[in-house]
């Protein structure tokens, strides 16, 4: 959202001029900062419903409560922002939404993005202070290898020509997904092309977040490093696999994955305690049985098949979402056919999940995110780096790198499998650019053949 290398600017939609709306440059600059922050979150959540913004976050951007109220109300009156009804500025945590009409474009282009240059000294000082505070807060979670990840994150370069070509070939105009829209892809491309440094943060569970995490997979396939296209290396059915690994670690006690030197050090630095898993009493046999099932089956496909037999039709993606929402981190009691099927198949594991989440529904998912970062980053990726892999970036359970490094990354995941005690199945994605070119060549050859037949 903010570029500070060559001056300071906010990335906002075109179609309006904030200088003509507000009576001072400072207010216009703060309004641009707010719009840019909301839009970045909106894109991150891929949601037409808007972005969650806390009152303190809005006040930090807009200034004092009086200015905050004036800026938000003015943007509402001009129909630049929508805010949930009944919202009192600065009093509640609500969703903000950049009016969709400013994002309705048919062509994917960076021309739809406006860089509002922030020149007010007080606003620039606030932004710099905020970024430095955020950097200091984040860096205490970084270890030595995180800085290597950050260095390599800067290396792959996006090919905007291929992004445009892929968008034209792959985009479905009837697709209502906000994250797939021309405006969103255009904003993301502008960020990748114009920001001098790609940002990176590490969450309280050790997860690494970058602007590349929220890109569509086909956009990530348009990155190049050293003349080679980047491909993804994903852990198949990652969350159930990590759940099985967690059950094994709990059952194994002192010889568990969490007792490894590097893992225990990271747990201590992040404030993660095994005491939170105290309610889990799984036996080694039950943990091993579940792990064996996960290793030998795609648990998502199994649930899809069983639900289909009962007349409930779900896609694999539907099941992945349901696992997160209804099984691993269920907030309250409500009927869920996915949870029911999981409970029927794995009653012991379901009982362990309930015990772990007894006091906080987020406990299990936080541990699984920590395990994900340990397995993917501190085991698989770090080993691949030692084997010479460069120019990589991560997307949670995936490692993207030039295809010449696939062997090194697979060796890294094998090392991680041995460490965590369960076989990780890795899906290596196609070279998206080359695949699209082959498909286009095939389509043109078929059209030429059909044309020659008609002429004959």
């Amino acid at each position: 959202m903010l570029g500070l290398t060559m001056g300071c600017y906010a990335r906002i939609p075109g179609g309006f001029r904030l200088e003509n709306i507000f009576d001072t440059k400072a207010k216009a600059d703060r309004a641009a900062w707010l719009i840019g922050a909301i839009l970045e979150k909106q894109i991150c959540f891929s949601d037409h419903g808007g972005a969650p913004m806390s009152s303190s976050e809005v006040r930090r951007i807009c200034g004092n409560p009086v200015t905050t109220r004036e800026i938000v109300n003015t943007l509402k009156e001009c129909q630049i922002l929508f805010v949930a009804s009944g919202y009192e500025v600065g009093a509640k945590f609500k969703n903000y939404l950049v009016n969709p009409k400013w994002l309705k474009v048919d062509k994917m282009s960076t021309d739809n993005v406006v860089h509002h240059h922030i020149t007010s000294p007080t606003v620039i000082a606030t932004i710099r202070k905020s970024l430095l505070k955020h950097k200091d807060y984040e860096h205490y979670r970084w270890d030595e290898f995180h800085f290597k990840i950050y260095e390599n994150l800067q290396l792959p370069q996006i090919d905007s020509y291929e992004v445009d070509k892929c968008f034209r070939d792959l985009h479905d105009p009837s697709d209502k997904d906000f994250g797939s829209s021309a405006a969103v892809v255009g904003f993301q491309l502008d960020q990748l092309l114009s920001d001098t440094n790609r940002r990176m943060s590490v969450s309280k569970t050790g997860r690494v977040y970058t602007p590349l995490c929220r890109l569509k997979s086909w956009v990530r396939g348009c990155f190049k490093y050293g003349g080679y296209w980047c491909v993804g290396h994903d852990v198949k059915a990652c969350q159930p696999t990590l759940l099985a690994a967690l059950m094994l670690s709990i059952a194994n006690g002192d010889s568990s994955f969490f007792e490894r030197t590097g893992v225990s050090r990271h747990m201590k630095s992040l404030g993660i305690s095994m005491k939170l898993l105290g309610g889990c009493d799984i036996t080694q046999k039950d943990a091993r049985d579940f792990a064996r099932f996960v290793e030998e089956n795609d648990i998502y496909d199994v649930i899809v098949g069983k639900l289909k037999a009962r007349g409930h039709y779900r896609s694999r993606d539907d099941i992945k979402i349901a696992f997160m929402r209804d099984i691993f981190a269920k907030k309250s009691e409500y009927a869920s056919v996915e949870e029911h099927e999981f409970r029927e198949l794995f009653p012991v594991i379901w009982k362990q999940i309930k015990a772990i989440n007894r006091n906080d529904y987020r406990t299990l998912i936080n541990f699984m995110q920590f395990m994900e970062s340990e397995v993917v980053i501190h085991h698989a990726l770090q080993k691949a780096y030692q084997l010479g892999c460069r120019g990589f970036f991560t997307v949670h359970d995936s490692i993207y790198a030039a295809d010449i490094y696939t062997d090194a990354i697979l060796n890294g995941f094998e090392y991680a499998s041995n460490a965590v005690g369960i076989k990780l199945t890795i899906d290596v994605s196609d070279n998206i650019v080359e695949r699209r070119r082959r498909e286009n060549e095939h389509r043109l050859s078929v059209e030429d053949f059909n044309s020659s037949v008609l002429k004959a």
Side-chain angles (χ1 to χ4, degrees):
M1 187 276 293
L2 294 166
L4 289 175
T5 306
M6 299 298 291
C8 187
Y9 63 84
R11 191 176 286 106
I12 63 176
F16 54 84
R17 286 185 59 81
L18 294 172
E19 290 86 347
N20 297 335
I21 297 173
F22 292 95
D23 57 2
T24 68
K25 186 64 167 67
K27 291 177 184 176
D29 287 349
R30 290 189 182 277
W33 183 8
L34 178 64
I35 294 168
I38 292 169
L39 186 57
E40 185 162 1
K41 272 197 175 185
Q42 202 173 324
I43 290 172
C44 182
F45 285 95
S46 295
D47 189 3
H48 287 286
M53 300 282 285
S54 67
S55 57
S56 61
E57 189 174 9
V58 176
R59 283 198 301 269
R60 174 177 59 83
I61 294 172
C62 295
N64 62 59
V66 175
T67 306
T68 299
R69 188 179 301 276
E70 179 185 351
I71 289 173
V72 173
N73 287 337
T74 300
L75 292 175
K76 284 172 60 181
E77 290 169 3
C78 295
Q79 294 193 325
I80 295 172
L81 288 185
F82 292 153
V83 183
S85 59
Y87 175 60
E88 183 178 348
V89 175
K92 296 180 182 178
F93 186 94
K94 287 288 185 181
N95 272 16
Y96 286 73
L97 173 70
V98 175
N99 189 336
K101 79 174 185 179
W102 306 113
L103 303 172
K104 285 185 177 178
V105 293
D106 298 323
K107 182 182 178 183
M108 192 285 298
S109 172
T110 58
D111 294 339
N112 303 315
V113 184
V114 171
H115 289 185
H116 175 102
H117 287 276
I118 295 174
T119 57
S120 171
T122 55
V123 181
I124 292 175
T126 304
I127 291 172
R128 291 186 183 278
K129 182 179 179 181
S130 175
L131 290 177
L132 287 172
K133 182 179 179 181
H134 178 75
K135 183 178 180 181
D136 291 341
Y137 176 71
E138 286 291 343
H139 276 196
Y140 87 90
R141 297 175 181 153
W142 289 33
D143 68 7
E144 184 178 348
F145 189 58
H146 282 122
F147 289 94
K148 299 295 184 184
I149 297 173
Y150 177 77
E151 290 172 8
N152 280 271
L153 173 65
Q154 316 305 320
L155 301 179
Q157 298 302 312
I158 191 79
D159 188 319
S160 56
Y161 174 81
E162 290 298 338
V163 174
D164 182 59
K165 287 291 186 182
C166 284
F167 183 84
R168 293 183 189 182
D169 291 341
L170 301 175
H171 179 64
D172 180 1
S174 64
D175 187 356
K176 301 301 181 183
D177 177 31
F178 178 74
S180 301
S181 67
V184 168
V185 177
F187 266 81
Q188 292 172 331
L189 182 59
D190 180 83
Q191 183 179 40
L192 293 168
L193 293 173
S194 59
D195 285 2
T196 306
N197 293 306
R198 295 173 188 147
R199 291 171 293 162
M200 186 182 103
S201 63
V202 179
S203 76
K204 63 182 180 182
T205 60
R207 250 191 176 185
V208 170
Y209 289 90
T210 73
L212 279 62
C213 289
R214 54 180 173 266
L215 299 176
K216 290 296 180 182
S217 60
W218 62 264
V219 180
R220 297 186 199 119
C222 294
F223 277 90
K224 256 185 174 181
Y225 174 70
Y228 297 91
W229 297 106
C230 292
V231 297
H233 308 77
D234 310 310
V235 180
K236 190 173 183 180
C238 182
Q239 296 305 322
T241 302
L242 291 177
L243 176 62
L246 178 61
M247 294 294 108
L248 284 172
S249 290
I250 294 171
N252 290 335
D254 291 340
S255 60
S256 75
F257 174 72
F258 294 109
E259 292 301 313
R260 294 173 68 90
T261 304
V263 179
S264 60
R265 185 179 71 250
H266 296 150
M267 288 182 69
K268 185 176 181 180
S269 67
L270 294 171
I272 295 174
S273 172
M274 290 294 289
K275 292 180 180 179
L276 294 173
L277 304 178
C280 186
D281 58 0
I282 192 167
T283 65
Q284 287 188 334
K285 180 182 181 304
D286 287 332
R288 189 66 254 173
D289 287 347
F290 180 59
R292 188 177 299 110
F293 183 93
V294 171
E295 287 177 328
E296 296 174 356
N297 302 273
D298 187 319
I299 194 170
Y300 294 139
D301 289 343
V302 171
I303 299 291
V304 167
K306 288 190 170 292
L307 287 176
K308 186 176 180 181
R310 292 176 179 238
H312 300 288
Y313 295 90
R314 301 285 192 276
S315 69
R316 195 171 187 278
D317 286 341
D318 292 335
I319 298 301
K320 290 172 71 173
I321 294 171
F323 261 62
M324 299 294 290
R325 181 192 63 223
D326 301 339
I327 299 172
F328 297 152
K330 193 175 184 182
K331 287 185 180 181
S332 58
E333 293 303 317
Y334 55 84
S336 165
V337 292
E338 294 87 356
E339 183 190 26
H340 175 79
E341 205 60 57
F342 183 88
R343 184 179 182 179
E344 289 288 308
L345 280 169
F346 313 109
V348 173
I349 303 302
W350 180 84
K351 178 185 174 183
Q352 304 303 319
I353 292 173
K354 288 298 181 183
I356 292 171
N357 288 341
R358 182 178 64 252
N359 296 321
D360 186 344
Y361 74 93
R362 297 166 296 185
T363 301
L364 175 63
I365 203 66
N366 285 342
F367 262 92
M368 288 168 62
Q369 284 188 4
F370 173 73
M371 288 195 74
E372 176 191 84
S373 69
E374 288 299 315
V375 169
V376 176
I377 292 174
H378 296 292
H379 283 74
L381 182 57
Q382 193 158 1
K383 175 60 72 173
Y385 179 81
Q386 292 169 359
L387 294 173
C389 181
R390 296 293 185 272
F392 51 77
F393 58 93
T394 63
V395 184
H396 307 324
D397 62 355
S398 307
I399 299 173
Y400 278 79
D403 52 14
I404 58 170
Y405 295 122
T406 290
D407 286 345
I409 293 171
L410 292 180
N411 285 334
F413 275 116
E414 184 176 357
Y415 169 73
S417 293
N418 294 331
V420 82
I422 191 169
K423 176 64 178 175
L424 303 173
T425 302
I426 309 303
D427 282 338
V428 182
S429 64
D430 289 338
N431 181 319
I432 292 174
V433 173
E434 293 301 328
R435 184 185 70 189
R436 181 187 60 79
R437 289 174 177 173
R438 288 195 303 268
E439 289 172 350
N440 282 343
E441 289 173 0
H442 176 70
R443 177 176 54 81
L444 291 173
S445 65
V446 170
E447 289 175 357
D448 289 343
F449 175 78
N450 291 337
S451 177
S452 63
V453 169
L454 289 173
K455 289 178 181 178

